[in-house]
Amino acid sequence: MAVVDLAEAAPGILVLTMQDRVNKNAFTDEMTLALLDAFETIAAEEQAKVVVLTGFDSYFSTGGDQSALLRLHEGEGNFATTSLYSLALDCRIPVISAMQGHGIGGGFVIGLFADMVFLSRESVYTTNFMKYGFTPGMGATYMVPLKMGTALGHEMLMTARNYRGEELKQRGVPFAVLPRDQVLPEAVKAARQLAEKPRVSLITLKDHLVAEQRRRLPEFIQAEVAMHQKTFHQDEVKEKILSLFGR
């Protein structure tokens, strides 16, 4: 089974499902290439008006896999080699992230790049970069405070602790937080509302609404890569990746 599935749920509505059950939707090389290819396909779909990005069962995405983190520790490339993190932002049509399952590290951040976000009460959401001793990447230092609020966003980035969706709801996050089985249906319902509008109008409005994000993001990516040069190559980071990954 392919690690992603792209299907038309209704006229103008595409649902992109990450479904790598073996790796819990981690950003393996296969998943990364599949997502890049899927968004290229979406860009060529001239009738598409909205994309719903979701996962399977209790997982949305678990972010970078252990082997990728170890390669970064060894200085083999950086997370900005591809535009994986900003696929939703760069997409011309609106993207809705239906994070019905756990969103971990970059897996949570990639969902926050969407134009609309739905979370589940039961799932865990975390920006766990500092758990392993390296500073956040994937645009997290910009997108997390922007979408979650400055105080909560900074707390999430610095403590790297886990938050259930219900706790985030109580903390006042500006997203719908629903029982897990309602997340995708409600996201599709929102997609239907968008699909009623002309495609040109949706694209034009999105371009206006996210113009500042698209303009500012590169400076944050550059700063995050520079911070990784200082923090990723510590022996302690490798030890934490080997001992704590997946816990």
Side-chain angles (χ1 to χ4, degrees):
M1 183 172 64
V3 296
V4 303
D5 176 71
L6 181 62
E8 186 178 49
I13 301 173
L14 299 176
V15 176
L16 178 55
T17 305
M18 297 179 284
Q19 53 186 16
D20 184 355
R21 294 176 178 272
V22 174
N23 297 293
K24 300 176 180 177
N25 285 346
F27 295 143
T28 61
D29 291 343
E30 183 181 11
M31 175 61 78
T32 298
L33 290 173
L35 287 172
L36 292 169
D37 288 346
F39 273 92
E40 283 190 8
T41 299
I42 292 165
E45 292 286 345
E46 296 185 356
Q47 302 305 312
K49 294 183 176 182
V50 58
V51 183
V52 178
L53 176 64
T54 193
F56 71 91
D57 297 345
S58 61
Y59 287 96
F60 178 71
S61 174
T62 53
D65 68 345
Q66 188 179 51
S67 61
L69 296 181
L70 289 172
R71 288 199 301 269
L72 292 175
H73 167 76
E74 296 300 327
E76 298 178 23
N78 61 66
F79 72 87
T81 302
T82 72
S83 60
L84 173 67
Y85 54 90
S86 62
L87 286 173
L89 179 64
D90 297 333
C91 186
R92 295 185 70 202
I93 59 177
V95 178
I96 300 173
S97 62
M99 289 196 267
Q100 87 308 324
H102 308 313
I104 311 298
F108 178 51
V109 176
I110 197 173
L112 293 182
F113 273 93
D115 302 285
M116 298 174 65
V117 176
F118 290 80
L119 305 178
S120 87
R121 293 176 180 173
E122 306 93 325
S123 296
V124 169
Y125 303 102
T126 178
T127 53
N128 65 338
F129 307 91
M130 289 287 280
K131 171 182 175 181
Y132 301 107
F134 59 86
T135 48
M138 300 288 288
T141 59
Y142 179 43
M143 197 56 59
V144 176
L146 180 67
K147 292 296 185 74
M148 306 299 287
T150 301
L152 178 58
H154 287 183
E155 177 187 312
M156 294 183 76
L157 291 170
M158 297 188 77
T159 66
R161 77 173 183 86
N162 295 342
Y163 298 77
R164 292 280 178 183
E166 182 60 31
E167 179 182 356
L168 294 177
K169 181 179 181 179
Q170 293 172 4
R171 296 285 296 271
V173 294
F175 309 128
V177 183
L178 306 165
R180 178 174 290 144
D181 61 359
Q182 294 181 21
V183 171
L184 182 56
E186 287 299 315
V188 172
K189 184 185 296 185
R192 291 183 185 278
Q193 293 178 324
L194 296 185
E196 295 171 354
K197 284 72 174 175
R199 173 180 157 93
V200 170
S201 298
L202 290 170
I203 291 172
T204 301
L205 180 57
K206 174 168 179 172
D207 282 343
H208 172 71
L209 293 175
V210 303
E212 181 72 2
Q213 295 175 34
R214 289 171 173 168
R215 184 186 70 80
R216 295 201 63 195
L217 181 60
E219 69 182 87
F220 282 85
I221 297 300
Q222 183 179 11
E224 289 178 358
V225 170
M227 287 192 292
H228 277 184
Q229 291 298 318
K230 294 180 180 180
T231 65
F232 226 116
H233 310 305
Q234 303 172 81
D235 291 339
E236 183 180 357
V237 168
K238 182 176 182 179
E239 293 170 3
K240 288 182 180 294
I241 293 172
L242 291 172
S243 64
L244 299 177
F245 191 86
R247 294 185 182 179

